[in-house]
Amino acid sequence: MKNINKYSLQLFLGLLLIGIISCKRNDGFSTSPISTDKTKPGVVTNIKVDNFNGGSYITYTLPSSDNLLYVLAKYSIRDKVARETKSSYYKDTVEVNGFAESKDYQVTLYAVSKAEVMSDPVTVTVHPKTPVYQLVRPSAAISADFGGVNVKALNPLKRDIGVIVTAFNDVTKSMEVEEQHFTKGDTIDFSIRGFKSTSRDFGVYITDEWGNISDTLKKNLTPLYEELLDKSQFATYTQPSDDELYEGGGWTVNKLWDGSTDDPGWHTNSNSTPPFTCTFSVGKTYKLSRFKMWGRKGFEYGHGNPRDFSIWGSNKTLPADAALPITAPEGTVIGDWTNLGNYHWPAPPSGLPPTAINQSDKDFFNQGAEFNIPFNAPSVKYLRISIAKTWSGGTLAHIIEVSFYGKPE
């Protein structure tokens, strides 16, 4: 159940390593003694403070000294947690950050020479605005979802935060961390799965890159029942507007549910045009909760693997064909078909362009990608996958395997 996004976690831990373990900041200059002049530098003067969320900019006039190397700021961000920030003599401002609350804090400034001789201390009072993790916390909400819970929050300043989800563990008889979701996105909306449909205590709290932690939102929730749809009940339901299939190598629609994430799967012919579409029945009516899709190995983030696509559904008896648009808003109804959701395959975690991915990107791609069906989507018996754009932007599309989850009706 501990479904931690390891790529986001690595990024966030990198920030923690800089911000907490070292507790120091270096603005690109050496701090090794490079002078034998032991003259004590003068103090900074004309100090001004500009407060922001969780921190402050402190501007000053540097002392007149040819031997000056940097200005050092010492301060505590919360009880028993001290930090140091350094700013080069090329600058007239030092940034102090990571404060746990919006209140008065004392910051001590030192001018430091090239021989590492410190000036007399100068103390300034800062009063940072409300830290971001505290701004996010009131917007946090947790609700029952299929197989688990859904968490929502708003991060309007788009700063790095962690949304931590806890749940009562039946073995340890205590609240345990089940998910660590690190992001700087402005809208947070994710679900954690793998829980039985029984009452359980859940909690959500917000943290930041300096280890500050908010209070915990606590709720007793009962996850909604879901099951993996029985693929033995799936059946091809080809429509006139569906794309013709690639004729070589056994690429057929029913390969989408044969249980294999290796070739072959579903593959259009090479002169198709978007949207690339296939249609099938799932055997009986379901209130869908989520699905997982696997692309073609060896062509990660390329060729006919889906980039932008939609899922359409119908609960009609033998729904009639309809030519689907390349894109349409969620909830759009065309004939017997409703757009259940629009999706974008996650980009390479490395940040590299799709044409220059590394092995970690390939490994991530080949794990498959999971997507949620909106909670208000109608129940369906028939599905259409409609690909608006592939990673190559070409004239063919392919998918190797899909798995759907939901509640039978």
Side-chain angles (χ1 to χ4, degrees), residues 29 64 76 114 171 206 369:
F29 52 89
S64 178
S76 293
K114 295 177 181 178
V171 176
I206 312 299

Side-chain angles (χ1 to χ4, degrees), residues 146-147 193-195 224-234 256-261 280 282-294 369-371 383 401-409:
F146 287 98
R193 315 284 187 179
F195 293 92
L224 305 178
Y225 175 79
E226 72 165 2
E227 64 184 31
L228 174 65
L229 272 61
D230 183 358
K231 295 183 181 182
S232 70
Q233 302 300 309
F234 288 20
L256 284 174
W257 53 85
D258 66 355
S260 173
T261 57
F280 53 95
V282 296
K284 59 183 178 181
T285 300
Y286 281 90
K287 173 72 172 175
L288 297 178
S289 57
R290 58 188 170 112
F291 65 96
K292 189 170 183 179
M293 180 180 289
W294 287 266
E370 187 169 295
F371 307 90
L383 292 173
E401 184 78 8
V402 289
S403 291
F404 285 86
Y405 296 79
K407 179 182 179 182
E409 294 186 347

